[in-house]
DNA sequence: AGATTTATTTTGACTAATCAAAATAGACGC
DNA sequence: GCGTCTATTTTGATTAGTCAAAATAAATCT
């Protein structure tokens, strides 16, 4: 059985390789896991021996089929737990990530399935992140962000790709939740500012960095 | 923050001292935790240094006020999780214990409280075991049953929670009346059988369902 | 009381996961 | 092409929790 540390390594390799990158560099993995690089190297070699990932020295790592299976299962637990915490226990959007970080390693596959059924087999969590299916499919649609999309077109937020409580709280207070309707009214690259207008008519300025964390799709 | 191992040690000291015993002997603790006695000794000395329990060498251990607080919190998590799994996720009651064994170490106090509210502040879990209150009171109004109590300890029947004539007749014929002294000599969960030995020396087998209807308290 | 049995503690060793700091390999610039 | 910089790997130590087996203390039985 995979330990908590093993599950975390695999999960983070999966998350870091989501942006299309084939190989995840050691440095990125180490800092995602908040360990020093040497620790990541040691652990990665052990996981490679177990056949859970492939290690190309000085280049990076990628998941094997088996490692990916485990990582997807953990991610599925994480995102279903988040959904449960928000929809059933009515917890604050911004706080469920930390909680799920623990619970993802403690729930059995049976509880996972029952939770999934209870929630009506949702396909995305409260942040809009896709929930891997029971049989390991992860919908990987590529979305535009508020920083990159076409201006002055009606949009709908599909996903907020940031886990920090501060950011999520800010987003919530300003109605920047998955499902919200809005449009980009101005984009000032030199100043690094994006101005959006919500469906309610209210305007709001965001930094380019923040805007890049909010994924959108064309409305209708 | 207490580790999983620490939480387990404290929880088991609490459970083992519930039968009235002031000091929990090392051997009992070690076997409850499925570790060799030497391991328990080592760990117990560390916990004593942390002020979580008191260790009287060659005699046993007892919880300090702080240790008891932690142990009650873990037990509360365990029993509320069991209640949730049975009542909300409709899991089989025989399987929820293992599950709760993991989850009790992963849920935060906030989730705990919300779970408690969702379930309507129950005071006993599906096994009839009392759920410690949020502020550390363990109700003694709620009794264990022949299905849930510790084996091989002297018990006294306090109540038989069944109205049907057949059952009460059966109970009467076998001396299973309030006040009767007995102990559980064997419990075979897979077979769903509980064997009790009366003070008179006579043995008797009961179904788990029947045993769950007979509330008992530790003798003396 | 003296011998034996049983429970507990001690000692030494091991595993998983980690850090700090030194060594090394590649990439990059001029 | 050679030195510099940066990312990665190595090496040596540390911590939490564990086991096996020897040592010791206490209880029990003639």
């Amino acid at each position: 059985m995979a330990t908590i540390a093993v599950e975390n390594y695999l999960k983070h390799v999966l998350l870091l390789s989501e942006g299309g990158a084939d190989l995840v560099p050691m440095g990125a993995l180490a800092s995602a896991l908040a360990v020093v690089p040497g620790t990541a190297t040691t652990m990665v070699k052990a996981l490679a021996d177990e056949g859970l990932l492939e290690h190309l020295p000085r280049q990076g790592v990628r998941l094997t089929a088996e490692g990916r299976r485990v990582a997807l299962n953990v991610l599925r637990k994480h995102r279903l737990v988040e959904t449960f915490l928000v929809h059933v226990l009515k917890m604050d959007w911004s706080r469920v990530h930390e909680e799920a970080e623990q619970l993802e390693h403690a729930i059995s596959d049976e509880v996972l399935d029952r939770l999934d059924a209870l929630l009506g087999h949702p396909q995305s969590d409260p942040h809009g992140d896709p929930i891997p299916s029971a049989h390991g499919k992860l919908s990987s649609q590529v979305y535009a962000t508020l920083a990159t999309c076409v201006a002055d077109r009606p949009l709908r937020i599909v996903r907020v790709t940031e886990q920090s409580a501060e950011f999520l709280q800010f987003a919530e207070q300003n109605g920047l939740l998955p499902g919200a309707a809005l449009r980009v009214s101005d984009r000032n690259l030199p100043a690094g500012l994006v101005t959006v207008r919500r469906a309610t008519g209210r305007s709001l300025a965001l930094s380019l960095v923040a805007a890049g964390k909010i994924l959108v799709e064309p409305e209708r």
Short mmCIF file of all heavy atoms in Angstrom, two decimals, chain C residues 7 10 12 16 20 29:
data_model
loop_
_atom_site.label_atom_id
_atom_site.label_comp_id
_atom_site.label_asym_id
_atom_site.label_seq_id
_atom_site.Cartn_x
_atom_site.Cartn_y
_atom_site.Cartn_z
P DA C 7 1.86 -12.56 31.50
OP1 DA C 7 0.40 -12.37 31.51
OP2 DA C 7 2.56 -13.01 30.28
"O5'" DA C 7 2.55 -11.20 31.97
"C5'" DA C 7 2.25 -10.66 33.25
"C4'" DA C 7 3.07 -9.39 33.42
"O4'" DA C 7 4.46 -9.75 33.55
"C3'" DA C 7 2.97 -8.43 32.23
"O3'" DA C 7 2.72 -7.14 32.79
"C2'" DA C 7 4.31 -8.54 31.52
"C1'" DA C 7 5.25 -9.02 32.63
N9 DA C 7 6.32 -9.91 32.19
C8 DA C 7 6.21 -11.03 31.42
N7 DA C 7 7.35 -11.66 31.21
C5 DA C 7 8.28 -10.90 31.89
C6 DA C 7 9.67 -11.03 32.06
N6 DA C 7 10.40 -12.02 31.53
N1 DA C 7 10.30 -10.10 32.81
C2 DA C 7 9.58 -9.11 33.35
N3 DA C 7 8.26 -8.89 33.27
C4 DA C 7 7.67 -9.82 32.50
P DT C 10 13.76 1.01 31.27
OP1 DT C 10 14.22 1.80 32.41
OP2 DT C 10 12.95 1.63 30.20
"O5'" DT C 10 15.02 0.33 30.57
"C5'" DT C 10 15.50 -0.89 31.05
"C4'" DT C 10 16.60 -1.48 30.18
"O4'" DT C 10 16.01 -2.48 29.32
"C3'" DT C 10 17.37 -0.54 29.27
"O3'" DT C 10 18.75 -0.80 29.47
"C2'" DT C 10 16.91 -0.91 27.85
"C1'" DT C 10 16.47 -2.35 28.00
N1 DT C 10 15.31 -2.76 27.15
C2 DT C 10 15.40 -3.92 26.41
O2 DT C 10 16.39 -4.63 26.38
N3 DT C 10 14.27 -4.23 25.69
C4 DT C 10 13.10 -3.51 25.64
O4 DT C 10 12.15 -3.90 24.95
C5 DT C 10 13.08 -2.31 26.43
C7 DT C 10 11.84 -1.45 26.44
C6 DT C 10 14.17 -1.99 27.14
P DG C 12 23.60 -1.58 23.62
OP1 DG C 12 24.94 -2.07 23.98
OP2 DG C 12 23.30 -0.14 23.65
"O5'" DG C 12 23.24 -2.15 22.17
"C5'" DG C 12 23.00 -3.55 21.99
"C4'" DG C 12 22.49 -3.79 20.60
"O4'" DG C 12 21.05 -3.57 20.57
"C3'" DG C 12 23.07 -2.84 19.54
"O3'" DG C 12 23.32 -3.60 18.36
"C2'" DG C 12 21.98 -1.81 19.36
"C1'" DG C 12 20.74 -2.68 19.52
N9 DG C 12 19.53 -1.97 19.86
C8 DG C 12 19.39 -0.82 20.61
N7 DG C 12 18.15 -0.42 20.72
C5 DG C 12 17.41 -1.37 20.01
C6 DG C 12 16.02 -1.47 19.78
O6 DG C 12 15.13 -0.73 20.16
N1 DG C 12 15.71 -2.59 19.01
C2 DG C 12 16.62 -3.48 18.53
N2 DG C 12 16.13 -4.48 17.80
N3 DG C 12 17.93 -3.40 18.74
C4 DG C 12 18.25 -2.32 19.48
P DA C 16 11.37 1.02 3.87
OP1 DA C 16 10.37 0.23 3.12
OP2 DA C 16 12.72 1.26 3.31
"O5'" DA C 16 10.73 2.43 4.22
"C5'" DA C 16 9.55 2.50 5.00
"C4'" DA C 16 9.27 3.95 5.27
"O4'" DA C 16 10.20 4.43 6.27
"C3'" DA C 16 9.41 4.88 4.06
"O3'" DA C 16 8.27 5.71 4.04
"C2'" DA C 16 10.71 5.63 4.32
"C1'" DA C 16 10.82 5.63 5.84
N9 DA C 16 12.17 5.61 6.36
C8 DA C 16 13.24 4.88 5.90
N7 DA C 16 14.34 5.05 6.60
C5 DA C 16 13.98 5.94 7.59
C6 DA C 16 14.69 6.53 8.65
N6 DA C 16 15.98 6.29 8.90
N1 DA C 16 14.04 7.38 9.46
C2 DA C 16 12.74 7.62 9.22
N3 DA C 16 11.95 7.13 8.26
C4 DA C 16 12.65 6.29 7.47
P DA C 20 17.74 22.38 6.39
OP1 DA C 20 17.27 23.40 7.36
OP2 DA C 20 17.47 22.54 4.95
"O5'" DA C 20 19.32 22.20 6.54
"C5'" DA C 20 19.87 21.43 7.60
"C4'" DA C 20 21.37 21.24 7.36
"O4'" DA C 20 21.59 20.02 6.63
"C3'" DA C 20 22.02 22.36 6.56
"O3'" DA C 20 23.31 22.57 7.11
"C2'" DA C 20 22.07 21.78 5.14
"C1'" DA C 20 22.27 20.29 5.41
N9 DA C 20 21.68 19.39 4.40
C8 DA C 20 20.50 19.55 3.72
N7 DA C 20 20.23 18.56 2.89
C5 DA C 20 21.30 17.69 3.04
C6 DA C 20 21.61 16.45 2.44
N6 DA C 20 20.83 15.84 1.54
N1 DA C 20 22.75 15.85 2.82
C2 DA C 20 23.53 16.43 3.72
N3 DA C 20 23.34 17.60 4.37
C4 DA C 20 22.19 18.18 3.97
P DG C 29 23.10 32.62 -22.58
OP1 DG C 29 22.08 33.65 -22.31
OP2 DG C 29 23.17 31.95 -23.90
"O5'" DG C 29 24.54 33.24 -22.26
"C5'" DG C 29 24.85 33.59 -20.91
"C4'" DG C 29 26.26 34.17 -20.85
"O4'" DG C 29 27.23 33.11 -20.95
"C3'" DG C 29 26.57 35.14 -21.99
"O3'" DG C 29 27.35 36.21 -21.46
"C2'" DG C 29 27.35 34.30 -22.99
"C1'" DG C 29 28.09 33.33 -22.06
N9 DG C 29 28.37 32.01 -22.65
C8 DG C 29 27.55 31.25 -23.46
N7 DG C 29 28.08 30.11 -23.80
C5 DG C 29 29.33 30.11 -23.19
C6 DG C 29 30.34 29.13 -23.20
O6 DG C 29 30.35 28.03 -23.77
N1 DG C 29 31.44 29.52 -22.44
C2 DG C 29 31.54 30.71 -21.76
N2 DG C 29 32.66 30.91 -21.07
N3 DG C 29 30.59 31.63 -21.73
C4 DG C 29 29.52 31.26 -22.47
#
